[in-house]
Amino acid sequence: MEILDEKQPGPPMEVDDVVSVRDSDAFAAKHLPDLGHDVKDFKVFTWRLSNWKKLEKKLTSPDFERVLLFPFGNSNAPPNDTVSVYLDYAEPKKSPEGWHACAQFALVISNIHDPTIYTVSHAHHRFIAEECDWGFTRFSELRKLFNPVDGQLRPTIEDESADITVFVRVLEDPTGVLWHNFVNYDSKKETGCVGLKNQGATCYMNSLLQSLYCTRYFRKAVYQIPTEQDHPTESVALALQRVFYHLQTSDQPVGTTELTKSFGWKSLDSFLQHDVQEFNRVLQDKLESKMKGTKAEDIQLNVKGMKNLYESFKDYVAVELLDGENKYQAEGLGLQDAKKGIIFESFPPVLHLQLKRFEYDIQRDAMVKINDRHEFPFEIDLDEFLDPSADRSSPWVYKLHGVLVHSGDLHGGHYFALIKPDSDSRWLKFDDDRVTPVTDKEVLEENYGGEPLNGILPAYQRNQGRTIKRFTNAYMLVYIRESSVPEVLEPFSDEDTPAHLKRRLDEERLQLEAKKREREEQHLFLTAKVITDDTFARHEGFDLASFDEKNWPPSELPTFRVLKQETYSVFKSRIAHHFNFPENQIRLWVLVNRQNKTVRPDTHIPDSESTLTVEVIRNNMSARQTDLRLYLDIIPDPAKPDPPPQSIMVFIKHFDTSKQTLLGAGKVYVLRSNKVGDLIPMINERMRWTPGTPIKLYEEIKPGMIELMKPKLSFAQSEIQDGDIICFQVDLPEKEVHDLEMQGLYSNPVQFYDFLQNRVMIVFRPKHEEPSQEQPEFHLILNKKQNYDSMANKVGEALHHDPIKLRFTTTHATNGSPKSILKRSLNQSIAEIMAPSYVNPTTTVILYERLDVSIVELETKRSLKVIWTGILNKEEAAHSFLLPKTSMVHDLADHLAKQVTLTTGGTGKIRIFEISKDGKMQKEFTGSEMIGNIPDPVELYAEEIPREELEADDADKVIGVFHFSKELTRTHGVPFKFVVKRGEKFSDTKKRLQARIGVSDKEFAKYRFALIQVSTFKQPSYIEDEDTIYDHQFAPEDVLGLDHVDKSGRARAGAGERAIVIRG
């Protein structure tokens, strides 16, 4: 039984709304709500049952659309207290592949004598072969069916008889995906298109990329950008070409990681929701210089107060009268009455219409989303918005090609695109990795926003007293001029794809397929790693090679992928051929994990095992390892293939005190009975030292256990076995030992092994810049026992920078993002700096900053920059200070006073403040705040307090004033405070304002003045000369706005979010 949910409540029933089960149309109208889909077929079937208590546990009605009845409940429900009933589409196995039916149905049990007494439940479902029955496990409790309820005179089941009726509406499914569960859904098969993977919050980018991709002449233009020599993670053009090509050829969703890397984004940027309109502008700007002939225009249209797209265009071209206080400054003619507006001389073939769904709300001091209803058509004629002299040889009719949709609010939500890829194709919905067909209603009505007109409410709203505005609406529309459609959407041919791109990506696809096959076949193979005398001679560490050290990368060894069923003789032949030796001149030893955690050669593989498989050898000789680790032993005399009897293979390492290195020096065969001291002449000969050179010998037992050996004991007495390692060094006079240790160098292998045990490789990377020649990324090998100062000195040497002027920040092991600043005062060991981490990377990344001041000062002091605006609200200079963190803001003002020129005869007082995030108000400090407590980062400003403000009496009002240009969100400059006097006309107020900001008559004549009220959503109220602004009841956030062109160079994005930057 395929399930279901519990009984679904139907719409509330009116007391007097009595309807009979036998009145099919009335009953369906009451109990089957209109879901907004066309009805393909409607059927009603009734099945009478008697002797209810003697019925079988499961019954099936005699009809194609069968009813499955469990009179006493099915196995999923408590026995004998419920009725379970389901609608079953019979014999789905006989239906064609991909068969489905979307049905809305009501299941009813009614009284056979009075059909107005019944119990009903309704549902809807997409019936498919795998889910061919659907209904209600707990349709009703039996006791409620056998007894009268709700004041009725008769029970539903009377005399153990009842009618079971099913009402079925089969609904049209024009898209083929109505109520689809999308399990095993294939976008390519169903629509011919594939989606884009979401990296975390990149649906805004995906929706735009699909729109640009489907605009074929844009795709062609992107393909024509020369990129043959580019690298995909450094070239936006090449990365975009690659995404487009994959969308063309892949049958799976396409990734965009390469593209975002080419933007210069870190992984974190992919988890930040950005505005798609800004992203489109930045991306187009990046590509514009490289693309030829792709004319597409972005036009920003108002939504608020506009009923539809036509009204938005009318608003865009509306003429504004410039007269009175708002006259136009004409060159050489002074102030003149004028009309200001926009006239289009022409439109490009493709229009990107940006609907202004996001606006600044002054009351909330934040951006908000406008969810008002705003209609747009499939076709719009823009002729009336063109200049009379425009070329009208072809109509200026535009066809809708794409709708980019945002669902949610300002702080998040989801983006998707609705696109019509061809003039005669159906509309498709591109929702990240899924592409589905959609209806015209889903394109238009469902994305107008606001409240539906004569539409069907969603189920969750159906019983509410008022409708809720829809938060899913269009914010960008793509229209194509009808006469340009054949060119813009011209079918794509193979020749349109650059040959180099096709060649490169086809090669990569073959490589990926090979890797995929390799992964799929991995269980058939094992990896063999071979240590040679050459790799041993280069190895500086424990054992013969590094394999699984926590803080050190593994050794680079010759590696072979071997079929587990390959015989040893074939494998040995391959190894001999690879290293250019005859087969009879090599012997392979298997390395094993010893109990003391070392990895050493244990036994050589005898040639008698040549018929065994490599897997059997691995299992028999080194069962605790997944790979096969081998040592390649070269036989000097193939006539004597076996080691001398009673001999041991011992590896030797040389500790060179002058070079401070410990490297492999090969191996020797020694007899067990030989004295350890017998090695000394052999070493002198191998190293070509003077015979008799005094040598000390140490056994490398394991990390932390390096022991001086006694030369007079035999190897057997010293418990030396095959694969053991003996380290040697020249025996130094006491003076040389002392000199080495005075230089901080290691004088014996015990000390050096201790360093090896505690060494770590740390990568140092610049914190605020991409690595470069000036700010390099580099690695250092350090000892975990060393402290902060030792690390700083080493980094200082590498960067040629004073170590005391370096600051370090640890990183998160998972993604490399900054974690916490290291404090020099703690003087932690490197082991403490690296710990604790739940992830154990082989390398640790630490970020560095070059400072202009000592880290000692910085840890006790606060570095602050203050922008000085003087008495006239002009940004004059930035002043930097390094003060104790316990200093007060008034101390900062005192230090600033010594660096700036105050007005002669002025107040001599300084105000330090921040600016509110919308750029409209000062956030003043009292002076008693401790500077160490000011949140970081901070932008501080300071001004000289005017005498007029300082001497203002109780009758005066001190208000905030800010600068903006045309729109309230386009603030610039620095806000300031200003005194408003009782009874003063604004014509006089303006004169004092002009003096306060020191602007010339000519410039000031262009200023407009507006009262900005926080309590309303209105546009600014512009002030006339006769007004007295003192009479306004100022709320704390009400401000005066100066509307003029931005010449400060300090435009602000208002309450916008982090800007999008594309670097590649």
Side-chain angles (χ1 to χ4, degrees):
M1 184 57 51
E2 280 293 334
I3 18 198
L4 189 87
D5 43 321
E6 295 307 316
K7 180 172 172 177
Q8 302 288 322
M13 183 173 169
E14 301 296 329
V15 174
D16 59 346
D17 190 8
V18 177
V19 65
S20 166
V21 175
R22 291 169 195 167
D23 185 350
S24 301
D25 291 339
F27 193 90
K30 178 177 175 61
H31 290 289
L32 290 177
D34 186 349
L35 298 178
H37 303 288
D38 292 337
V39 177
K40 184 177 180 181
D41 197 4
F42 174 61
K43 285 188 178 177
V44 181
F45 163 70
T46 299
W47 176 28
R48 180 160 291 183
L49 291 171
S50 42
N51 296 318
W52 189 283
K53 290 179 181 176
K54 294 180 182 177
L55 291 174
E56 298 289 325
K57 288 186 178 178
K58 176 183 176 182
L59 290 90
T60 305
S61 69
D63 200 284
F64 177 71
E65 286 149 4
R66 300 184 303 175
V67 174
L68 293 184
L69 177 72
F70 294 80
F72 313 104
N74 73 1
S75 57
N76 297 327
N80 304 324
D81 73 345
T82 62
V83 172
S84 302
V85 60
Y86 306 86
L87 177 63
D88 178 28
Y89 260 68
E91 302 182 278
K93 290 174 184 173
K94 293 184 180 177
S95 303
E97 186 186 349
W99 166 88
H100 78 278
C102 293
Q104 180 190 20
F105 61 93
L107 289 164
V108 191
I109 299 180
S110 62
N111 184 290
I112 62 172
H113 305 296
D114 183 353
T116 64
I117 296 173
Y118 55 81
T119 299
V120 60
S121 282
H122 67 80
H124 61 268
H125 181 59
R126 180 186 182 92
F127 289 88
I128 55 175
E130 295 79 16
E131 288 181 350
C132 60
D133 51 37
W134 203 253
F136 308 95
T137 302
R138 299 184 62 84
F139 178 82
S140 176
E141 293 177 45
L142 272 171
R143 62 180 179 80
K144 289 183 178 178
L145 296 174
F146 276 97
N147 294 289
V149 292
D150 299 331
Q152 292 172 341
L153 300 175
R154 314 173 83 138
T156 301
I157 301 175
E158 188 174 2
D159 301 329
E160 290 196 45
S161 297
D163 283 339
I164 296 179
T165 306
V166 58
F167 294 76
V168 182
R169 269 188 200 147
V170 180
L171 302 178
E172 295 284 3
D173 180 14
T175 63
V177 294
L178 181 63
W179 307 330
H180 204 301
N181 62 14
F182 295 107
V183 174
N184 301 322
Y185 179 78
D186 186 335
S187 293
K188 186 82 168 188
K189 180 181 170 185
E190 301 297 334
T191 66
C193 300
V194 295
L196 290 165
K197 294 176 186 173
N198 191 332
Q199 289 186 49
T202 54
C203 50
Y204 72 95
M205 178 179 77
N206 291 350
S207 60
L208 179 72
L209 290 177
Q210 290 282 19
S211 171
L212 297 176
Y213 168 78
C214 290
T215 310
R216 294 202 189 102
Y217 94 145
F218 179 86
R219 194 195 323 171
K220 287 180 185 177
V222 168
Y223 278 162
Q224 285 164 13
I225 300 171
T227 57
E228 201 155 356
Q229 307 305 318
D230 292 2
H231 191 277
T233 56
E234 294 164 4
S235 162
V236 172
L238 176 58
L240 191 57
Q241 287 176 350
R242 290 166 68 91
V243 168
F244 282 0
Y245 184 76
H246 286 311
L247 285 173
Q248 246 170 251
T249 58
S250 176
D251 57 2
Q252 296 296 320
V254 174
T256 55
T257 311
E258 206 174 62
L259 181 64
T260 54
K261 279 185 181 171
S262 77
F263 296 164
W265 294 1
K266 301 280 192 300
S267 59
L268 177 66
D269 293 284
S270 298
F271 288 90
L272 296 174
Q273 187 82 274
H274 285 301
D275 172 38
V276 82
Q277 296 176 358
E278 183 191 0
F279 174 72
N280 185 27
R281 179 184 58 74
V282 175
L283 179 63
Q284 299 265 21
D285 288 350
K286 195 79 197 169
L287 297 172
E288 202 170 64
S289 58
K290 301 174 184 176
M291 292 196 313
K292 297 169 186 170
T294 52
K295 290 183 180 174
E297 189 69 42
D298 279 42
I299 300 174
Q300 287 210 337
L301 299 172
N302 284 323
V303 168
K304 198 163 183 64
M306 306 294 149
K307 181 183 173 186
N308 53 36
L309 194 63
Y310 176 78
E311 286 190 7
S312 294
F313 264 104
K314 293 280 282 183
D315 172 69
Y316 194 83
V317 299
V319 174
E320 181 186 356
L321 197 62
L322 303 179
D323 60 2
E325 284 298 314
N326 194 25
K327 287 187 178 182
Y328 178 69
Q329 181 73 33
E331 193 75 33
L333 298 171
L335 293 171
Q336 301 286 323
D337 285 352
K339 291 180 180 178
K340 184 180 82 170
I342 292 171
I343 295 175
F344 289 104
E345 293 180 354
S346 69
F347 290 108
V350 179
L351 278 176
H352 286 165
L353 304 180
Q354 314 283 358
L355 305 182
K356 290 162 78 172
R357 287 276 179 196
F358 299 97
E359 287 188 1
Y360 178 71
D361 181 340
I362 196 164
Q363 188 169 17
R364 300 181 198 176
D365 186 22
M367 297 294 285
V368 294
K369 186 179 176 192
I370 309 297
N371 286 304
D372 298 359
R373 184 178 178 86
H374 184 267
E375 298 174 8
F376 49 90
F378 278 129
E379 178 180 302
I380 188 168
D381 190 344
L382 299 180
D383 188 287
E384 71 173 274
F385 306 111
L386 283 167
D387 187 74
S389 63
D391 178 5
R392 285 177 166 77
S393 54
S394 291
W396 290 95
V397 173
Y398 278 76
K399 296 279 191 180
L400 185 65
H401 166 69
V403 181
L404 274 64
V405 179
H406 178 260
S407 180
D409 61 13
L410 178 79
H411 305 293
H414 184 60
Y415 291 86
F416 59 87
L418 303 163
I419 300 168
K420 191 176 187 189
D422 290 290
S423 55
D424 56 353
S425 68
R426 56 185 175 172
W427 281 86
L428 300 176
K429 179 180 181 180
F430 292 81
D431 190 352
D432 285 338
D433 56 2
R434 185 184 299 152
V435 186
T436 54
V438 288
T439 61
D440 287 358
K441 181 186 168 191
E442 287 174 273
V443 175
L444 298 183
E445 173 63 42
E446 293 190 5
N447 297 302
Y448 288 158
E451 297 165 4
L453 293 184
N454 305 320
I456 303 305
L457 290 175
Y460 66 88
Q461 285 186 15
R462 205 164 285 130
N463 299 324
Q464 293 176 355
R466 62 184 181 84
T467 54
I468 296 174
K469 278 191 179 178
R470 292 181 295 190
F471 294 95
T472 299
N473 36 55
Y475 66 95
M476 180 171 154
L477 306 172
V478 182
Y479 279 91
I480 301 176
R481 191 178 180 187
E482 191 173 28
S483 58
S484 302
V485 166
E487 176 199 354
V488 174
L489 300 183
E490 185 183 3
F492 224 74
S493 64
D494 279 351
E495 292 72 42
D496 293 319
T497 307
H500 77 87
L501 185 69
K502 191 173 186 301
R503 186 173 59 249
R504 195 164 166 176
L505 289 171
D506 286 350
E507 285 170 6
E508 286 179 18
R509 193 181 71 250
L510 290 173
Q511 288 170 7
L512 282 172
E513 286 171 1
K515 281 184 181 174
K516 185 183 175 186
R517 271 197 310 276
E518 195 174 301
R519 280 197 306 274
E520 289 169 350
E521 296 170 358
Q522 188 58 47
H523 65 286
L524 304 174
F525 291 83
L526 59 76
T527 302
K529 295 183 176 180
V530 181
I531 296 169
T532 66
D533 289 337
D534 285 340
T535 66
F536 181 50
R538 294 192 301 271
H539 173 60
E540 186 165 61
F542 293 96
D543 297 330
L544 307 186
S546 298
F547 289 105
D548 304 309
E549 285 189 46
K550 182 180 174 184
N551 294 307
W552 200 253
S555 301
E556 290 185 12
L557 298 173
T559 302
F560 301 86
R561 188 166 180 256
V562 191
L563 261 173
K564 290 178 180 176
Q565 297 308 308
E566 188 171 296
T567 61
Y568 175 61
S569 59
V570 173
F571 173 64
K572 183 182 176 185
S573 174
R574 283 173 60 196
I575 297 292
H577 181 263
H578 178 86
F579 290 106
N580 293 315
F581 285 106
E583 274 185 64
N584 64 352
Q585 208 178 333
I586 68 167
R587 182 189 297 125
L588 291 171
W589 292 68
V590 177
L591 276 72
V592 298
N593 293 329
R594 292 185 177 176
Q595 285 187 331
N596 65 1
K597 301 288 174 58
T598 58
V599 184
R600 302 288 173 84
D602 182 60
T603 323
H604 72 271
I605 306 169
D607 284 334
S608 59
E609 307 282 24
S610 60
T611 58
L612 293 181
T613 64
V614 177
E615 182 179 31
V616 169
I617 287 171
R618 191 272 312 269
N619 292 346
N620 291 347
M621 302 181 77
S622 60
R624 287 190 292 167
Q625 294 173 359
T626 53
D627 52 8
L628 188 59
R629 299 169 182 177
L630 303 167
Y631 167 66
L632 179 66
D633 183 8
I634 309 303
I635 302 167
D637 183 0
K640 300 175 182 176
D642 294 321
Q646 294 298 305
S647 65
I648 312 168
M649 181 176 66
V650 177
F651 290 85
I652 55 176
K653 291 181 180 178
H654 172 215
F655 176 58
D656 188 331
T657 51
S658 59
K659 294 179 182 173
Q660 293 285 288
T661 57
L662 177 73
L663 296 168
K667 60 151 185 325
V668 291
Y669 281 99
V670 294
L671 296 175
R672 296 176 188 278
S673 56
N674 283 4
K675 295 281 190 286
V676 169
D678 293 345
L679 263 182
I680 293 172
M682 295 166 72
I683 290 169
N684 277 328
E685 183 181 346
R686 180 167 295 190
M687 302 302 291
R688 297 180 182 175
W689 290 341
T690 308
T693 300
I695 288 173
K696 278 187 172 179
L697 300 170
Y698 299 80
E699 185 187 355
E700 180 190 314
I701 301 169
K702 66 175 184 179
M705 191 180 285
I706 314 298
E707 293 186 352
L708 185 66
M709 299 186 75
K710 296 176 180 176
K712 293 181 180 177
L713 293 182
S714 69
F715 288 104
Q717 289 170 318
S718 301
E719 298 182 350
I720 298 297
Q721 63 186 71
D722 279 324
D724 279 354
I725 298 169
I726 293 175
C727 171
F728 65 89
Q729 78 167 117
V730 175
D731 192 3
L732 300 175
E734 280 296 320
K735 184 180 182 308
E736 283 189 41
V737 170
H738 181 262
D739 289 347
L740 284 166
E741 291 178 352
M742 288 302 290
Q743 295 174 61
L745 301 174
Y746 304 110
S747 64
N748 62 59
V750 177
Q751 297 169 349
F752 195 79
Y753 272 111
D754 182 71
F755 159 68
L756 291 180
Q757 190 178 353
N758 290 288
R759 70 180 170 177
V760 287
M761 183 186 290
I762 296 182
V763 174
F764 291 90
R765 191 177 289 157
K767 183 172 182 179
H768 298 300
E769 303 88 13
E770 289 297 309
S772 63
Q773 205 166 350
E774 295 74 32
Q775 302 277 14
E777 178 178 315
F778 58 94
H779 71 264
L780 294 175
I781 295 166
L782 302 170
N783 190 325
K784 282 194 285 188
K785 293 181 176 178
Q786 291 174 315
N787 58 15
Y788 176 98
D789 284 340
S790 305
M791 179 181 81
N793 288 335
K794 292 271 190 184
V795 176
E797 284 174 29
L799 292 173
H800 308 292
H801 193 83
D802 186 347
I804 204 72
K805 292 183 177 178
L806 287 170
R807 181 161 66 171
F808 301 100
T809 304
T810 58
T811 58
H812 291 280
T814 47
N815 58 17
S817 59
K819 190 175 178 184
S820 55
I821 291 171
L822 290 176
K823 292 190 174 178
R824 178 181 179 273
S825 55
L826 297 177
N827 200 22
Q828 294 168 291
S829 69
I830 289 172
E832 290 170 321
I833 288 169
M834 292 173 66
S837 174
Y838 298 107
V839 181
N840 290 321
T842 51
T843 52
T844 297
V845 176
I846 291 179
L847 308 175
Y848 69 84
E849 299 167 86
R850 300 178 198 243
L851 306 174
D852 299 324
V853 296
S854 154
I855 188 75
V856 179
E857 280 194 281
L858 203 61
E859 287 184 4
T860 57
K861 296 184 177 180
R862 177 77 187 267
S863 176
L864 291 167
K865 186 172 81 170
V866 182
I867 297 167
W868 174 245
T869 63
I871 191 78
L872 296 175
N873 192 237
K874 301 278 190 301
E875 292 187 36
E876 297 181 5
H879 300 272
S880 296
F881 300 93
L882 187 67
L883 299 173
K885 289 181 179 178
T886 52
S887 304
M888 304 293 182
V889 170
H890 65 75
D891 297 322
L892 177 61
D894 293 343
H895 281 84
L896 180 62
K898 295 169 187 171
Q899 295 195 19
V900 298
T901 305
L902 297 171
T903 312
T904 307
T907 62
K909 294 191 178 298
I910 288 174
R911 172 190 291 121
I912 291 178
F913 59 94
E914 291 179 80
I915 297 177
S916 62
K917 64 182 177 185
D918 63 358
K920 293 181 177 57
M921 298 185 72
Q922 291 186 356
K923 292 166 71 177
E924 188 178 352
F925 291 97
T926 63
S928 60
E929 297 89 349
M930 230 188 309
I931 65 170
N933 294 336
I934 298 174
D936 200 19
V938 66
E939 238 185 358
L940 295 179
Y941 295 82
E943 65 179 2
E944 182 179 344
I945 300 175
R947 185 168 292 283
E948 186 176 62
E949 182 187 335
L950 199 69
E951 295 173 353
D953 58 29
D954 291 344
D956 295 330
K957 293 180 181 178
V958 179
I959 65 168
V961 185
F962 77 101
H963 306 267
F964 72 101
S965 179
K966 297 180 183 174
E967 294 178 18
L968 291 178
T969 52
R970 293 172 60 186
T971 60
H972 56 88
V974 178
F976 60 95
K977 295 198 172 181
F978 182 70
V979 176
V980 177
K981 297 191 173 293
R982 186 194 297 271
E984 183 181 65
K985 296 292 183 192
F986 193 66
S987 54
D988 295 322
T989 307
K990 280 200 303 187
K991 291 172 186 171
R992 289 191 302 107
L993 259 176
Q994 184 180 357
R996 171 73 175 85
I997 58 177
V999 176
S1000 68
D1001 290 348
K1002 182 179 177 182
E1003 281 301 312
F1004 199 66
K1006 300 174 188 174
Y1007 278 41
R1008 299 174 70 200
F1009 308 90
L1011 196 58
I1012 314 301
Q1013 293 173 256
V1014 74
S1015 60
T1016 67
F1017 291 99
K1018 292 178 186 173
Q1019 291 295 313
S1021 310
Y1022 283 92
I1023 303 166
E1024 304 293 337
D1025 278 1
E1026 294 304 307
D1027 292 340
T1028 305
I1029 62 172
Y1030 183 93
D1031 295 341
H1032 174 69
Q1033 298 295 316
F1034 279 90
E1037 291 84 12
D1038 288 358
V1039 286
L1040 178 65
L1042 309 186
D1043 181 357
H1044 62 100
V1045 175
D1046 174 20
K1047 293 186 177 178
S1048 71
R1050 287 198 65 85
R1052 285 187 171 73
E1057 303 196 350
R1058 178 171 167 177
I1060 296 179
V1061 178
I1062 295 179
R1063 299 187 183 88

